[in-house]
Amino acid sequence: MADAAFPVTVFHNPACGTSRKVLAAIETAGLTPEVVDYVKTGWTREQLTDLFAAMDKTPRQLMRTTGDLVTDLGLLDPAVSDDALLDAMVEHPILVNRPIVKTPKGVKLCRPVETVQDLLPG
């Protein structure tokens, strides 16, 4: 359960070293975040649309561009629409770059790890 005074949500992939380091940095700051293992729970189109809007980013800007899946699906082609990218991200949650952190200070893709500090109190 996230802290009521300063709620933090981490959209986390436990297999990702950067994601684990961001989670540790939040906990070191004395916060107890809500951790969403999006690889297991998946994404909804609305959830992604809201997060991307809060970050002022497009699906293409937050898509993982490494790995076989993105290439196999042909998603690196600039002609692929944002709608098609969103559909692919909902179907294959791993296509969303991570970790994404949401706090009262905003929402960011926290790569590099130090980026999370902008979202923490203090």
Side-chain angles (χ1 to χ4, degrees):
M1 180 68 75
D3 294 318
F6 195 88
V8 178
T9 303
V10 180
F11 296 92
H12 176 63
N13 177 349
C16 172
T18 301
S19 197
R20 290 190 307 269
K21 289 176 185 174
V22 165
L23 181 57
I26 293 166
E27 291 170 340
T28 298
L31 299 167
T32 304
E34 174 186 2
V35 178
V36 178
D37 182 345
Y38 67 86
V39 177
K40 287 184 181 176
T41 63
W43 298 102
T44 67
R45 189 179 184 86
E46 179 181 18
Q47 185 181 39
L48 287 174
T49 302
D50 290 349
L51 286 170
F52 294 168
M55 290 186 276
D56 195 26
K57 300 288 183 187
T58 65
R60 184 164 303 281
Q61 290 171 311
L62 290 170
M63 179 180 66
R64 277 192 80 216
T65 57
T66 58
D68 292 338
L69 183 60
V70 71
T71 304
D72 292 348
L73 295 174
L75 299 177
L76 296 175
D77 182 338
V80 176
S81 70
D82 282 351
D83 279 340
L85 293 177
L86 279 170
D87 288 343
M89 290 171 166
V90 170
E91 185 174 348
H92 306 281
I94 197 71
L95 290 172
V96 178
N97 212 343
R98 76 283 178 169
I100 296 173
V101 177
K102 179 180 177 181
T103 78
K105 291 179 122 184
V107 181
K108 284 189 177 191
L109 171 64
C110 291
R111 294 181 87 76
V113 173
E114 297 76 23
T115 309
V116 75
Q117 297 303 321
D118 297 340
L119 296 174
L120 301 179

